[in-house]
Amino acid sequence: MDSRPVGVFDSGVGGLTVLHECLVTMPYEDFVYLGDHARLPYGPRPLDEVRHFAREIGSYLQEQGVKLVVNACNTATSAALPQLQEELDIPVVGVITPEAHAAVQATRNRRIGLLATEGTVDAGRYRDLVHALDAGVDLVQIACPRLVPLIESDDPFGGETTAAVREYAAPLKNAGVDTVILGCTHYPLIRPVFQRAFGRDVTLVFSAEETAHEVAQTLARKGYENDVSREGTYRFLTTGDPEVFRQMGLRFLPLPIVDVEHVELTALAAA
């Protein structure tokens, strides 16, 4: 048995939706989650800059003794997954490949929509992965720069959020998509707003469950699983304000968040 924890990181608290699925899929594993709140958001930043951040965090988590890294940020996965997999000595799992696979499996008319940050859309990894699975799929990609700040606001289900979702959904509905990838870890928090905008005939795909299954399968293949009879633990790190992380994180993770440790950006750079 391998008692080392699994490392999970995101630009902020959105990746806690992925962590939650990991916790319920592998309740016997230990997890350490790092949110890079000091440099949030990643979406509007140049991909080279996001790649640099992701490589710092991946190296830092490896130095902390984790046995696998989950890149739970769609933008960081788009920017840096191949580099992390090449440079780290441990397995790295991203959130995009499971979503692309699930969407291709779900679509009936081979028209798929993607709602994501600017960085994720610009990177083009969803397009490459979807077309690698089915070259005949029509993928319509829409960048949604207003959504993350609205979801993190004091009124995530307010009229401004609903209006923004309708605006971003319109071109996908006009294109006749029957499947939509929610390509940002924040978006599941307002899933009912998306479902209302698209209706029940459109399948919404989010990676958390698929990513958790990929993590579990990877640990099993590598022989890295912990003792399945135990109850695992989880801890939180942030480069920002621990109390802000805790308060915001309670929206995304329906489990106790008690202590949050602060990590200096210099510690990431040193890794």
Side-chain angles (χ1 to χ4, degrees):
M1 298 300 172
D2 192 327
S3 61
R4 292 177 295 168
V6 174
V8 183
F9 79 90
D10 184 31
S11 59
V13 294
L16 293 175
T17 54
V18 177
L19 176 64
H20 177 261
E21 290 300 324
C22 289
L23 289 170
V24 299
T25 301
M26 296 158 282
Y28 45 85
E29 296 288 355
D30 295 338
F31 291 87
V32 54
Y33 180 97
L34 191 153
D36 192 12
H37 248 131
R39 300 183 288 203
L40 180 75
Y42 281 5
R45 292 181 180 272
L47 289 173
D48 286 346
E49 187 175 33
V50 175
R51 186 175 301 116
H52 175 71
F53 295 165
R55 293 170 68 191
E56 282 187 342
I57 294 170
S59 296
Y60 177 82
L61 288 174
Q62 180 170 267
E63 287 191 356
Q64 298 305 299
V66 303
K67 60 186 175 184
L68 180 146
V69 169
V70 182
N71 186 342
C73 174
N74 296 71
T75 304
T77 298
S78 299
L81 184 63
Q83 288 79 13
L84 289 174
Q85 291 174 332
E86 289 173 3
E87 295 171 4
L88 299 185
D89 298 325
I90 51 178
V92 183
V93 172
V95 290
I96 290 181
T97 300
E99 279 185 338
H101 184 266
V104 170
Q105 295 282 43
T107 184
R108 302 174 302 280
N109 66 7
R110 302 172 84 192
R111 296 176 185 172
I112 298 174
L114 169 67
L115 299 175
T117 66
E118 306 101 306
T120 298
V121 170
D122 290 344
R125 283 189 56 80
Y126 275 103
R127 179 187 61 245
D128 295 341
L129 287 168
V130 165
H131 288 160
L133 294 165
D134 185 347
V137 166
D138 182 15
L139 180 67
V140 183
Q141 305 181 86
I142 303 297
C144 310
R146 293 160 54 199
L147 286 185
V148 168
L150 287 170
I151 293 169
E152 291 198 349
S153 72
D154 292 334
D155 190 13
F157 291 96
E160 192 174 352
T161 302
T162 301
V165 168
R166 286 176 178 164
E167 175 188 329
Y168 295 136
L172 301 186
K173 294 171 70 175
N174 292 338
V177 304
D178 71 351
T179 303
V180 174
I181 300 170
L182 301 182
C184 174
T185 51
H186 278 69
Y187 296 173
L189 191 69
I190 59 166
R191 187 184 186 113
V193 181
F194 286 111
Q195 201 71 74
R196 168 71 172 165
F198 286 106
R200 285 294 183 189
D201 290 337
V202 173
T203 301
L204 300 181
V205 172
F206 174 60
S207 69
E209 186 175 344
E210 290 84 2
T211 301
H213 285 308
E214 183 172 338
V215 171
Q217 291 166 3
T218 301
L219 293 177
R221 285 197 307 270
K222 299 288 187 181
Y224 288 174
E225 290 176 299
N226 210 333
D227 182 352
V228 297
S229 66
R230 67 187 295 277
E231 181 177 352
T233 63
Y234 54 92
R235 54 191 282 254
F236 303 98
L237 312 173
T238 180
T239 58
D241 184 319
E243 182 58 23
V244 170
F245 178 98
R246 193 183 74 82
Q247 292 293 338
M248 185 68 67
L250 291 172
R251 295 188 189 179
F252 292 81
L253 182 69
L255 292 169
I257 300 178
V258 181
D259 296 320
V260 181
E261 305 167 44
H262 178 73
V263 176
E264 296 288 349
L265 290 177
T266 52
L268 300 186

